[in-house]
Amino acid sequence: MADLTVCVGNIPFANPVIAASGTFGFGREMRNFQNLGRIGGICSKGLTLLPRDGNPAPRVAETASGMLNSVGLQNPGFTSFLANELPFMIDLGCRIIVNIAGNDPEEYLEMCRRLDATSVDAIELNLSCPNVKEGCMLIGSNPEMIEKLVAAARQVTKKPLWAKLTPNVTSIADMARAAESGGADAVVLINTLLGIAIDRKLRRPILRNNIGGLSGPAIKPIALRMVAETYRAVSIPIVGVGGIMSGNDVLEFMIAGATAVEVGTANLIKPTACQDIIDEIRAIMELDGVSEVGQYTGTLELWNG
Amino acid sequence: MRTIEFNCPIIDHESINGQTVVLTLEAPAIAQIAYPGQFVNLTSNQFLRRPIGIMNADPARGSIQLGIRIAGEGTRFLAKRKKGDILSLLGPLGRGFNLEGARRVITVGGGTGVFPLYFVQKVCQARDLEGIAVCGYRSLGDSFLTDQYKALTCQTLFASEEGDDMDFSGHAVAALDDLLAKLPLVPETRILTCGPEKMMASVAALADEYGISCQVSLEERMACGIGVCLVCACKIKRGDEQGAEYQRCCTEGPVFNAEVVEWQI
Ligand SMILES: Cc1cc2nc3c(=O)[nH]c(=O)nc-3n(C[C@H](O)[C@H](O)[C@H](O)COP(=O)(O)OP(=O)(O)OC[C@H]3O[C@@H](n4cnc5c(N)ncnc54)[C@H](O)[C@@H]3O)c2cc1C
Ligand SMILES: Cc1cc2nc3c(=O)[nH]c(=O)nc-3n(C[C@H](O)[C@H](O)[C@H](O)COP(=O)(O)O)c2cc1C
Ligand code: FES
């Protein structure tokens, strides 16, 4: 029997498949499609201290093998989340990771403090949302700011801290190193890549926000490259994200260096994606004759010369 | 409500003109629970699914019908499918029209909005409600579903913008205005509308003038269709407080009471 369990830092997961922030809500809708107790974990929609309306529509544009979104972190606000969504999530029976995004460092810290008293399994610091003008991506593009923020968060919570990084930088490995120096328990990469879709007839961007974040299979090769580079740069675990549609994709990310993965856009195409991917991983392991899924992690051998 | 993914064979394919088709799909589970105004989210040869309103559901036969107009690559692919082909769909999705307490139901459809409103009039017939269907087309040549509407008990009023040989020459909104001016009003009348946003906003304004309650079916670009991604934002006025908030077209909608909609035109 294939063993799918993995540990990210010191938290064990039943399998390496976690639903990515913003593509699974708070789990309520997805309950109608699959047994959420069977997936590795769920990462909440990105939360801000105060409620956020998000951006005007259109917020989505289809692209070759992917999509652009400009949701703009629409969420009910942290206080409402704690009261109305978190208790429900905790009861789902899988690991719960809470994704938070601040307008400034103090907002991140305030949310970390308040999460410390809850039973969430990890906090994902969203240092990478491309759809808000203030805060998070600014911090996420500056290694000093990343290190300072993670270190400050480390002071206010004992929860595992995952730093979710943006690919919209020159060297994501530098950002990962900064997160590690700050005391992050894991790095999560990648968030979406900035893009634009144009309506030729109107000579206007399709998204009302002009730009949006690209996700889906289109970004997978970039995400894989970034995971492979980061694996050589840090010793904390990597959670790989970007364009995963199948069990085979998950194992490619693990070979590149990921300990676990997050599945995002695939959930929007197929509401049973996470469950199906877990089944596929199990089947591939049988074929490969691999008994523990962790044996794939970091086994990429680069060509020399 | 439970929504599931289905693989449904096409059991009938009717080409209305080069641009428009009606597909009949074997979908017993959806046919059982679907009600007017709901939609399905269909896989095509494109990356994202395509939302299409449910035009008809026949629980006895276990089938549903979809009216599709070609608007781009995804709908072109769907329109070109043949009898026996299998489509993957999620449904029924969203919150549809509320017919509770209605005595007279006036539907006002424009373009592809004519399709989902057929389901409304069919249910009105089954429930013995007085139905009036106003259907707006660009021209007679561009019209569709007129025979099916005529076969129902509802009164029909077909409008052609080009003024060729239909019941009313002009826009569907003008046809509704004309109708309301002549019609003795009865209490518990509802106006339900689906079509271009500009048309629906005008229909809502007319309904308001006549003091008739109005529901509109909004269209927004979607991805998941099930409420998890928040890309399908519709601007909806807040109940008690000031201002508006974004609600999900796929989940709180696509049908909203007209008075809460903040029109984007
Ligand atoms: C709730 C709902 C019900 C609908 N019911 C019907 C129906 O009964 N019959 C019918 O013919 N059409 C209906 N539509 C419109 C239909 O979804 C679009 O025509 C279709 O998505 C266009 O896809 P495409 O690939 O052909 O066009 P493209 O322009 O190539 O599509 C590109 C992207 O834009 C999106 N898009 C383009 N136009 C629209 C639109 N008008 N509304 C929403 N998304 C759009 C597509 O889904 C896709 O993601 C409905 C839309 C909604 C939201
Ligand atoms: C509609 C949508 C909303 C998203 N919202 C968030 C968010 O709130 N916080 C966050 O950290 N990432 C968010 N993301 C990014 C995803 O979590 C993920 O990092 C990215 O989409 C790449 O993975 P994928 O290709 O599997 O989707 C969002 C992505 C999408 C498509
Ligand atoms: S389309 Fe995803 S929430 Fe409506």
Side-chain angles (χ1 to χ4, degrees), chain A residues 62, chain B residues 39 46 48-53 67-69 71-76 112 115-116 218-222 249 254:
Chain A
E62 190 179 51
Chain B
F39 66 99
Q46 304 294 296
L48 296 174
R49 290 173 181 266
R50 296 294 188 263
I52 299 289
I68 301 176
R69 145 107 32 111
E73 282 314 310
T75 46
R76 185 184 314 282
T112 55
F115 287 122
L218 299 184
E219 215 172 80
E220 198 41 74
R221 281 172 186 254
M222 295 184 178
C249 186

PDB file of all heavy atoms in Angstrom, chain A residues 62, chain B residues 39 46 48-53 67-69 71-76 112 115-116 218-222 249 254, ligand 1:
ATOM      1  N   GLU A  62      -9.812  34.295 -20.027  1.00  0.00           N
ATOM      2  CA  GLU A  62      -9.214  33.013 -20.392  1.00  0.00           C
ATOM      3  C   GLU A  62      -7.984  33.269 -21.247  1.00  0.00           C
ATOM      4  O   GLU A  62      -7.969  34.200 -22.055  1.00  0.00           O
ATOM      5  CB  GLU A  62     -10.244  32.206 -21.161  1.00  0.00           C
ATOM      6  CG  GLU A  62      -9.854  30.776 -21.395  1.00  0.00           C
ATOM      7  CD  GLU A  62     -10.945  30.050 -22.140  1.00  0.00           C
ATOM      8  OE1 GLU A  62     -11.395  30.563 -23.178  1.00  0.00           O
ATOM      9  OE2 GLU A  62     -11.355  28.995 -21.682  1.00  0.00           O
TER      10      GLU A  62
ATOM     11  N   PHE B  39     -28.407  27.459 -14.396  1.00  0.00           N
ATOM     12  CA  PHE B  39     -27.563  27.209 -15.556  1.00  0.00           C
ATOM     13  C   PHE B  39     -26.691  25.984 -15.330  1.00  0.00           C
ATOM     14  O   PHE B  39     -26.665  25.423 -14.229  1.00  0.00           O
ATOM     15  CB  PHE B  39     -26.709  28.450 -15.877  1.00  0.00           C
ATOM     16  CG  PHE B  39     -25.688  28.783 -14.816  1.00  0.00           C
ATOM     17  CD1 PHE B  39     -24.359  28.396 -14.965  1.00  0.00           C
ATOM     18  CD2 PHE B  39     -26.035  29.478 -13.669  1.00  0.00           C
ATOM     19  CE1 PHE B  39     -23.403  28.703 -13.998  1.00  0.00           C
ATOM     20  CE2 PHE B  39     -25.091  29.790 -12.686  1.00  0.00           C
ATOM     21  CZ  PHE B  39     -23.777  29.397 -12.849  1.00  0.00           C
ATOM     22  N   GLN B  46     -12.048  24.531 -24.919  1.00  0.00           N
ATOM     23  CA  GLN B  46     -11.298  25.645 -24.344  1.00  0.00           C
ATOM     24  C   GLN B  46     -10.941  25.332 -22.893  1.00  0.00           C
ATOM     25  O   GLN B  46     -11.419  24.353 -22.332  1.00  0.00           O
ATOM     26  CB  GLN B  46     -12.132  26.920 -24.431  1.00  0.00           C
ATOM     27  CG  GLN B  46     -12.586  27.253 -25.844  1.00  0.00           C
ATOM     28  CD  GLN B  46     -11.419  27.600 -26.756  1.00  0.00           C
ATOM     29  OE1 GLN B  46     -10.727  28.582 -26.534  1.00  0.00           O
ATOM     30  NE2 GLN B  46     -11.182  26.777 -27.768  1.00  0.00           N
ATOM     31  N   LEU B  48     -11.459  27.068 -19.843  1.00  0.00           N
ATOM     32  CA  LEU B  48     -12.505  27.233 -18.833  1.00  0.00           C
ATOM     33  C   LEU B  48     -13.819  26.642 -19.325  1.00  0.00           C
ATOM     34  O   LEU B  48     -14.049  26.530 -20.525  1.00  0.00           O
ATOM     35  CB  LEU B  48     -12.710  28.722 -18.525  1.00  0.00           C
ATOM     36  CG  LEU B  48     -11.541  29.465 -17.889  1.00  0.00           C
ATOM     37  CD1 LEU B  48     -11.858  30.966 -17.787  1.00  0.00           C
ATOM     38  CD2 LEU B  48     -11.217  28.909 -16.503  1.00  0.00           C
ATOM     39  N   ARG B  49     -14.684  26.324 -18.377  1.00  0.00           N
ATOM     40  CA  ARG B  49     -16.033  25.890 -18.737  1.00  0.00           C
ATOM     41  C   ARG B  49     -16.842  27.075 -19.255  1.00  0.00           C
ATOM     42  O   ARG B  49     -16.465  28.224 -19.044  1.00  0.00           O
ATOM     43  CB  ARG B  49     -16.730  25.287 -17.520  1.00  0.00           C
ATOM     44  CG  ARG B  49     -16.150  23.948 -17.091  1.00  0.00           C
ATOM     45  CD  ARG B  49     -16.763  23.479 -15.781  1.00  0.00           C
ATOM     46  NE  ARG B  49     -16.186  22.217 -15.356  1.00  0.00           N
ATOM     47  CZ  ARG B  49     -16.708  21.018 -15.626  1.00  0.00           C
ATOM     48  NH1 ARG B  49     -17.837  20.929 -16.283  1.00  0.00           N
ATOM     49  NH2 ARG B  49     -16.109  19.918 -15.221  1.00  0.00           N
ATOM     50  N   ARG B  50     -17.969  26.783 -19.899  1.00  0.00           N
ATOM     51  CA  ARG B  50     -18.849  27.826 -20.433  1.00  0.00           C
ATOM     52  C   ARG B  50     -20.211  27.737 -19.764  1.00  0.00           C
ATOM     53  O   ARG B  50     -20.849  26.686 -19.804  1.00  0.00           O
ATOM     54  CB  ARG B  50     -19.013  27.646 -21.951  1.00  0.00           C
ATOM     55  CG  ARG B  50     -17.706  27.820 -22.757  1.00  0.00           C
ATOM     56  CD  ARG B  50     -17.193  29.236 -22.674  1.00  0.00           C
ATOM     57  NE  ARG B  50     -16.077  29.537 -23.558  1.00  0.00           N
ATOM     58  CZ  ARG B  50     -14.800  29.523 -23.204  1.00  0.00           C
ATOM     59  NH1 ARG B  50     -14.449  29.156 -21.992  1.00  0.00           N
ATOM     60  NH2 ARG B  50     -13.854  29.876 -24.066  1.00  0.00           N
ATOM     61  N   PRO B  51     -20.683  28.841 -19.151  1.00  0.00           N
ATOM     62  CA  PRO B  51     -22.015  28.827 -18.531  1.00  0.00           C
ATOM     63  C   PRO B  51     -23.123  28.978 -19.581  1.00  0.00           C
ATOM     64  O   PRO B  51     -23.045  29.860 -20.438  1.00  0.00           O
ATOM     65  CB  PRO B  51     -21.989  30.050 -17.606  1.00  0.00           C
ATOM     66  CG  PRO B  51     -20.966  30.972 -18.201  1.00  0.00           C
ATOM     67  CD  PRO B  51     -19.981  30.123 -18.971  1.00  0.00           C
ATOM     68  N   ILE B  52     -24.123  28.122 -19.509  1.00  0.00           N
ATOM     69  CA  ILE B  52     -25.277  28.196 -20.419  1.00  0.00           C
ATOM     70  C   ILE B  52     -26.554  27.957 -19.603  1.00  0.00           C
ATOM     71  O   ILE B  52     -26.635  27.008 -18.822  1.00  0.00           O
ATOM     72  CB  ILE B  52     -25.178  27.121 -21.536  1.00  0.00           C
ATOM     73  CG1 ILE B  52     -23.922  27.313 -22.405  1.00  0.00           C
ATOM     74  CG2 ILE B  52     -26.447  27.119 -22.406  1.00  0.00           C
ATOM     75  CD1 ILE B  52     -23.928  28.507 -23.344  1.00  0.00           C
ATOM     76  N   GLY B  53     -27.528  28.818 -19.805  1.00  0.00           N
ATOM     77  CA  GLY B  53     -28.793  28.705 -19.083  1.00  0.00           C
ATOM     78  C   GLY B  53     -29.561  27.449 -19.475  1.00  0.00           C
ATOM     79  O   GLY B  53     -29.450  26.971 -20.600  1.00  0.00           O
ATOM     80  N   GLY B  67     -30.096  26.167 -25.214  1.00  0.00           N
ATOM     81  CA  GLY B  67     -30.062  26.938 -26.449  1.00  0.00           C
ATOM     82  C   GLY B  67     -28.755  27.699 -26.488  1.00  0.00           C
ATOM     83  O   GLY B  67     -28.447  28.445 -25.576  1.00  0.00           O
ATOM     84  N   ILE B  68     -27.974  27.477 -27.532  1.00  0.00           N
ATOM     85  CA  ILE B  68     -26.626  28.063 -27.578  1.00  0.00           C
ATOM     86  C   ILE B  68     -26.441  28.897 -28.839  1.00  0.00           C
ATOM     87  O   ILE B  68     -26.705  28.438 -29.955  1.00  0.00           O
ATOM     88  CB  ILE B  68     -25.547  26.950 -27.534  1.00  0.00           C
ATOM     89  CG1 ILE B  68     -25.710  26.126 -26.248  1.00  0.00           C
ATOM     90  CG2 ILE B  68     -24.144  27.547 -27.622  1.00  0.00           C
ATOM     91  CD1 ILE B  68     -24.765  24.940 -26.154  1.00  0.00           C
ATOM     92  N   ARG B  69     -25.971  30.112 -28.656  1.00  0.00           N
ATOM     93  CA  ARG B  69     -25.613  30.954 -29.793  1.00  0.00           C
ATOM     94  C   ARG B  69     -24.099  31.018 -29.875  1.00  0.00           C
ATOM     95  O   ARG B  69     -23.405  31.200 -28.861  1.00  0.00           O
ATOM     96  CB  ARG B  69     -26.228  32.345 -29.583  1.00  0.00           C
ATOM     97  CG  ARG B  69     -25.443  33.521 -30.059  1.00  0.00           C
ATOM     98  CD  ARG B  69     -25.949  34.228 -31.319  1.00  0.00           C
ATOM     99  NE  ARG B  69     -27.384  34.236 -31.529  1.00  0.00           N
ATOM    100  CZ  ARG B  69     -28.153  35.319 -31.458  1.00  0.00           C
ATOM    101  NH1 ARG B  69     -27.619  36.475 -31.125  1.00  0.00           N
ATOM    102  NH2 ARG B  69     -29.432  35.248 -31.716  1.00  0.00           N
ATOM    103  N   ALA B  71     -20.702  32.445 -30.010  1.00  0.00           N
ATOM    104  CA  ALA B  71     -20.163  33.756 -29.665  1.00  0.00           C
ATOM    105  C   ALA B  71     -18.643  33.761 -29.743  1.00  0.00           C
ATOM    106  O   ALA B  71     -18.006  34.803 -29.664  1.00  0.00           O
ATOM    107  CB  ALA B  71     -20.609  34.146 -28.255  1.00  0.00           C
ATOM    108  N   GLY B  72     -18.048  32.588 -29.878  1.00  0.00           N
ATOM    109  CA  GLY B  72     -16.593  32.469 -29.903  1.00  0.00           C
ATOM    110  C   GLY B  72     -16.237  30.995 -30.029  1.00  0.00           C
ATOM    111  O   GLY B  72     -17.091  30.175 -30.369  1.00  0.00           O
ATOM    112  N   GLU B  73     -14.976  30.670 -29.734  1.00  0.00           N
ATOM    113  CA  GLU B  73     -14.506  29.299 -29.977  1.00  0.00           C
ATOM    114  C   GLU B  73     -15.233  28.253 -29.128  1.00  0.00           C
ATOM    115  O   GLU B  73     -15.551  27.164 -29.606  1.00  0.00           O
ATOM    116  CB  GLU B  73     -12.992  29.203 -29.733  1.00  0.00           C
ATOM    117  CG  GLU B  73     -12.152  29.754 -30.873  1.00  0.00           C
ATOM    118  CD  GLU B  73     -12.636  29.285 -32.239  1.00  0.00           C
ATOM    119  OE1 GLU B  73     -12.829  28.058 -32.416  1.00  0.00           O
ATOM    120  OE2 GLU B  73     -12.849  30.130 -33.131  1.00  0.00           O
ATOM    121  N   GLY B  74     -15.470  28.566 -27.859  1.00  0.00           N
ATOM    122  CA  GLY B  74     -16.078  27.580 -26.962  1.00  0.00           C
ATOM    123  C   GLY B  74     -17.492  27.229 -27.384  1.00  0.00           C
ATOM    124  O   GLY B  74     -17.856  26.049 -27.483  1.00  0.00           O
ATOM    125  N   THR B  75     -18.300  28.251 -27.656  1.00  0.00           N
ATOM    126  CA  THR B  75     -19.676  27.984 -28.079  1.00  0.00           C
ATOM    127  C   THR B  75     -19.693  27.384 -29.489  1.00  0.00           C
ATOM    128  O   THR B  75     -20.572  26.597 -29.808  1.00  0.00           O
ATOM    129  CB  THR B  75     -20.544  29.252 -28.017  1.00  0.00           C
ATOM    130  OG1 THR B  75     -19.831  30.330 -28.592  1.00  0.00           O
ATOM    131  CG2 THR B  75     -20.900  29.597 -26.576  1.00  0.00           C
ATOM    132  N   ARG B  76     -18.711  27.728 -30.318  1.00  0.00           N
ATOM    133  CA  ARG B  76     -18.648  27.113 -31.654  1.00  0.00           C
ATOM    134  C   ARG B  76     -18.454  25.610 -31.521  1.00  0.00           C
ATOM    135  O   ARG B  76     -19.133  24.802 -32.146  1.00  0.00           O
ATOM    136  CB  ARG B  76     -17.502  27.714 -32.476  1.00  0.00           C
ATOM    137  CG  ARG B  76     -17.464  27.191 -33.924  1.00  0.00           C
ATOM    138  CD  ARG B  76     -16.262  27.715 -34.699  1.00  0.00           C
ATOM    139  NE  ARG B  76     -16.060  29.147 -34.522  1.00  0.00           N
ATOM    140  CZ  ARG B  76     -16.769  30.089 -35.142  1.00  0.00           C
ATOM    141  NH1 ARG B  76     -17.695  29.741 -36.003  1.00  0.00           N
ATOM    142  NH2 ARG B  76     -16.542  31.357 -34.908  1.00  0.00           N
ATOM    143  N   THR B 112     -30.169  35.703 -26.779  1.00  0.00           N
ATOM    144  CA  THR B 112     -30.152  34.370 -26.184  1.00  0.00           C
ATOM    145  C   THR B 112     -30.946  34.313 -24.876  1.00  0.00           C
ATOM    146  O   THR B 112     -31.233  33.232 -24.381  1.00  0.00           O
ATOM    147  CB  THR B 112     -28.713  33.889 -25.908  1.00  0.00           C
ATOM    148  OG1 THR B 112     -28.071  34.872 -25.091  1.00  0.00           O
ATOM    149  CG2 THR B 112     -27.942  33.687 -27.186  1.00  0.00           C
ATOM    150  N   PHE B 115     -33.989  32.007 -24.631  1.00  0.00           N
ATOM    151  CA  PHE B 115     -33.895  30.568 -24.331  1.00  0.00           C
ATOM    152  C   PHE B 115     -34.300  30.230 -22.890  1.00  0.00           C
ATOM    153  O   PHE B 115     -35.255  29.484 -22.680  1.00  0.00           O
ATOM    154  CB  PHE B 115     -32.481  30.046 -24.609  1.00  0.00           C
ATOM    155  CG  PHE B 115     -32.141  29.909 -26.069  1.00  0.00           C
ATOM    156  CD1 PHE B 115     -31.063  30.586 -26.608  1.00  0.00           C
ATOM    157  CD2 PHE B 115     -32.905  29.089 -26.892  1.00  0.00           C
ATOM    158  CE1 PHE B 115     -30.744  30.440 -27.955  1.00  0.00           C
ATOM    159  CE2 PHE B 115     -32.593  28.935 -28.229  1.00  0.00           C
ATOM    160  CZ  PHE B 115     -31.505  29.618 -28.767  1.00  0.00           C
ATOM    161  N   PRO B 116     -33.591  30.736 -21.884  1.00  0.00           N
ATOM    162  CA  PRO B 116     -33.916  30.316 -20.513  1.00  0.00           C
ATOM    163  C   PRO B 116     -35.324  30.720 -20.067  1.00  0.00           C
ATOM    164  O   PRO B 116     -35.911  30.060 -19.208  1.00  0.00           O
ATOM    165  CB  PRO B 116     -32.851  30.995 -19.647  1.00  0.00           C
ATOM    166  CG  PRO B 116     -32.141  31.944 -20.516  1.00  0.00           C
ATOM    167  CD  PRO B 116     -32.387  31.575 -21.927  1.00  0.00           C
ATOM    168  N   LEU B 218     -28.530  38.145 -14.534  1.00  0.00           N
ATOM    169  CA  LEU B 218     -27.295  38.826 -14.927  1.00  0.00           C
ATOM    170  C   LEU B 218     -26.303  37.854 -15.576  1.00  0.00           C
ATOM    171  O   LEU B 218     -26.323  36.654 -15.313  1.00  0.00           O
ATOM    172  CB  LEU B 218     -26.649  39.491 -13.712  1.00  0.00           C
ATOM    173  CG  LEU B 218     -27.480  40.568 -13.014  1.00  0.00           C
ATOM    174  CD1 LEU B 218     -26.681  41.202 -11.881  1.00  0.00           C
ATOM    175  CD2 LEU B 218     -27.951  41.633 -13.991  1.00  0.00           C
ATOM    176  N   GLU B 219     -25.445  38.410 -16.400  1.00  0.00           N
ATOM    177  CA  GLU B 219     -24.434  37.619 -17.079  1.00  0.00           C
ATOM    178  C   GLU B 219     -23.074  38.159 -16.670  1.00  0.00           C
ATOM    179  O   GLU B 219     -22.847  39.365 -16.753  1.00  0.00           O
ATOM    180  CB  GLU B 219     -24.623  37.790 -18.586  1.00  0.00           C
ATOM    181  CG  GLU B 219     -24.323  36.543 -19.371  1.00  0.00           C
ATOM    182  CD  GLU B 219     -24.715  36.701 -20.831  1.00  0.00           C
ATOM    183  OE1 GLU B 219     -23.953  37.300 -21.575  1.00  0.00           O
ATOM    184  OE2 GLU B 219     -25.791  36.227 -21.183  1.00  0.00           O
ATOM    185  N   GLU B 220     -22.202  37.317 -16.225  1.00  0.00           N
ATOM    186  CA  GLU B 220     -20.860  37.770 -15.876  1.00  0.00           C
ATOM    187  C   GLU B 220     -19.877  36.678 -16.270  1.00  0.00           C
ATOM    188  O   GLU B 220     -20.236  35.508 -16.310  1.00  0.00           O
ATOM    189  CB  GLU B 220     -20.788  38.048 -14.358  1.00  0.00           C
ATOM    190  CG  GLU B 220     -19.635  38.906 -13.920  1.00  0.00           C
ATOM    191  CD  GLU B 220     -19.354  40.075 -14.864  1.00  0.00           C
ATOM    192  OE1 GLU B 220     -20.121  41.059 -14.879  1.00  0.00           O
ATOM    193  OE2 GLU B 220     -18.353  39.975 -15.594  1.00  0.00           O
ATOM    194  N   ARG B 221     -18.659  37.066 -16.592  1.00  0.00           N
ATOM    195  CA  ARG B 221     -17.639  36.069 -16.917  1.00  0.00           C
ATOM    196  C   ARG B 221     -17.371  35.195 -15.694  1.00  0.00           C
ATOM    197  O   ARG B 221     -17.227  35.717 -14.595  1.00  0.00           O
ATOM    198  CB  ARG B 221     -16.340  36.744 -17.350  1.00  0.00           C
ATOM    199  CG  ARG B 221     -16.415  37.225 -18.779  1.00  0.00           C
ATOM    200  CD  ARG B 221     -15.209  38.051 -19.143  1.00  0.00           C
ATOM    201  NE  ARG B 221     -15.397  38.603 -20.474  1.00  0.00           N
ATOM    202  CZ  ARG B 221     -14.745  38.153 -21.555  1.00  0.00           C
ATOM    203  NH1 ARG B 221     -13.844  37.203 -21.450  1.00  0.00           N
ATOM    204  NH2 ARG B 221     -14.982  38.678 -22.729  1.00  0.00           N
ATOM    205  N   MET B 222     -17.290  33.898 -15.920  1.00  0.00           N
ATOM    206  CA  MET B 222     -17.153  32.947 -14.822  1.00  0.00           C
ATOM    207  C   MET B 222     -15.954  32.041 -15.017  1.00  0.00           C
ATOM    208  O   MET B 222     -15.431  31.910 -16.125  1.00  0.00           O
ATOM    209  CB  MET B 222     -18.403  32.065 -14.739  1.00  0.00           C
ATOM    210  CG  MET B 222     -19.658  32.824 -14.374  1.00  0.00           C
ATOM    211  SD  MET B 222     -21.028  31.687 -14.202  1.00  0.00           S
ATOM    212  CE  MET B 222     -22.310  32.859 -13.712  1.00  0.00           C
ATOM    213  N   CYS B 249     -22.248  36.019  -9.193  1.00  0.00           N
ATOM    214  CA  CYS B 249     -23.273  35.767 -10.215  1.00  0.00           C
ATOM    215  C   CYS B 249     -23.654  34.287 -10.219  1.00  0.00           C
ATOM    216  O   CYS B 249     -24.810  33.938 -10.398  1.00  0.00           O
ATOM    217  CB  CYS B 249     -22.750  36.182 -11.590  1.00  0.00           C
ATOM    218  SG  CYS B 249     -23.988  36.080 -12.892  1.00  0.00           S
ATOM    219  N   PRO B 254     -27.620  33.598 -10.900  1.00  0.00           N
ATOM    220  CA  PRO B 254     -27.600  34.775 -11.771  1.00  0.00           C
ATOM    221  C   PRO B 254     -28.843  35.671 -11.649  1.00  0.00           C
ATOM    222  O   PRO B 254     -28.814  36.786 -12.140  1.00  0.00           O
ATOM    223  CB  PRO B 254     -27.508  34.185 -13.182  1.00  0.00           C
ATOM    224  CG  PRO B 254     -28.084  32.817 -13.073  1.00  0.00           C
ATOM    225  CD  PRO B 254     -27.760  32.337 -11.690  1.00  0.00           C
TER     226      PRO B 254
HETATM  227  C1  LIG C   1     -25.497  32.546 -16.308  1.00  0.00           C
HETATM  228  C2  LIG C   1     -25.238  32.591 -17.794  1.00  0.00           C
HETATM  229  C3  LIG C   1     -26.139  31.994 -18.660  1.00  0.00           C
HETATM  230  C4  LIG C   1     -25.911  32.019 -20.037  1.00  0.00           C
HETATM  231  N1  LIG C   1     -26.805  31.401 -20.840  1.00  0.00           N
HETATM  232  C5  LIG C   1     -26.599  31.358 -22.173  1.00  0.00           C
HETATM  233  C6  LIG C   1     -27.516  30.677 -23.026  1.00  0.00           C
HETATM  234  O1  LIG C   1     -28.529  30.130 -22.592  1.00  0.00           O
HETATM  235  N2  LIG C   1     -27.245  30.649 -24.356  1.00  0.00           N
HETATM  236  C7  LIG C   1     -26.135  31.252 -24.888  1.00  0.00           C
HETATM  237  O2  LIG C   1     -25.942  31.160 -26.093  1.00  0.00           O
HETATM  238  N3  LIG C   1     -25.253  31.897 -24.104  1.00  0.00           N
HETATM  239  C8  LIG C   1     -25.451  31.972 -22.754  1.00  0.00           C
HETATM  240  N4  LIG C   1     -24.552  32.638 -21.951  1.00  0.00           N
HETATM  241  C9  LIG C   1     -23.373  33.287 -22.566  1.00  0.00           C
HETATM  242  C10 LIG C   1     -22.277  32.268 -22.830  1.00  0.00           C
HETATM  243  O3  LIG C   1     -21.753  31.803 -21.593  1.00  0.00           O
HETATM  244  C11 LIG C   1     -21.129  32.901 -23.634  1.00  0.00           C
HETATM  245  O4  LIG C   1     -21.613  33.225 -24.902  1.00  0.00           O
HETATM  246  C12 LIG C   1     -19.949  31.937 -23.786  1.00  0.00           C
HETATM  247  O5  LIG C   1     -19.302  31.756 -22.548  1.00  0.00           O
HETATM  248  C13 LIG C   1     -18.956  32.447 -24.809  1.00  0.00           C
HETATM  249  O6  LIG C   1     -17.900  31.532 -24.927  1.00  0.00           O
HETATM  250  P1  LIG C   1     -17.022  31.469 -26.275  1.00  0.00           P
HETATM  251  O7  LIG C   1     -15.853  30.595 -26.068  1.00  0.00           O
HETATM  252  O8  LIG C   1     -17.900  31.104 -27.406  1.00  0.00           O
HETATM  253  O9  LIG C   1     -16.618  32.993 -26.482  1.00  0.00           O
HETATM  254  P2  LIG C   1     -15.241  33.748 -26.110  1.00  0.00           P
HETATM  255  O10 LIG C   1     -15.528  35.185 -26.274  1.00  0.00           O
HETATM  256  O11 LIG C   1     -14.096  33.176 -26.871  1.00  0.00           O
HETATM  257  O12 LIG C   1     -15.056  33.417 -24.602  1.00  0.00           O
HETATM  258  C14 LIG C   1     -13.915  33.871 -23.889  1.00  0.00           C
HETATM  259  C15 LIG C   1     -14.208  33.885 -22.390  1.00  0.00           C
HETATM  260  O13 LIG C   1     -15.176  34.888 -22.087  1.00  0.00           O
HETATM  261  C16 LIG C   1     -16.323  34.327 -21.513  1.00  0.00           C
HETATM  262  N5  LIG C   1     -17.516  34.989 -22.075  1.00  0.00           N
HETATM  263  C17 LIG C   1     -17.626  35.517 -23.310  1.00  0.00           C
HETATM  264  N6  LIG C   1     -18.855  36.034 -23.494  1.00  0.00           N
HETATM  265  C18 LIG C   1     -19.538  35.840 -22.341  1.00  0.00           C
HETATM  266  C19 LIG C   1     -20.851  36.161 -21.908  1.00  0.00           C
HETATM  267  N7  LIG C   1     -21.727  36.775 -22.690  1.00  0.00           N
HETATM  268  N8  LIG C   1     -21.205  35.809 -20.653  1.00  0.00           N
HETATM  269  C20 LIG C   1     -20.337  35.177 -19.837  1.00  0.00           C
HETATM  270  N9  LIG C   1     -19.080  34.857 -20.208  1.00  0.00           N
HETATM  271  C21 LIG C   1     -18.690  35.173 -21.435  1.00  0.00           C
HETATM  272  C22 LIG C   1     -16.266  32.872 -21.859  1.00  0.00           C
HETATM  273  O14 LIG C   1     -16.974  32.046 -20.935  1.00  0.00           O
HETATM  274  C23 LIG C   1     -14.788  32.600 -21.840  1.00  0.00           C
HETATM  275  O15 LIG C   1     -14.319  32.439 -20.532  1.00  0.00           O
HETATM  276  C24 LIG C   1     -24.752  32.648 -20.550  1.00  0.00           C
HETATM  277  C25 LIG C   1     -23.849  33.264 -19.675  1.00  0.00           C
HETATM  278  C26 LIG C   1     -24.076  33.246 -18.323  1.00  0.00           C
HETATM  279  C27 LIG C   1     -23.100  33.892 -17.390  1.00  0.00           C
END
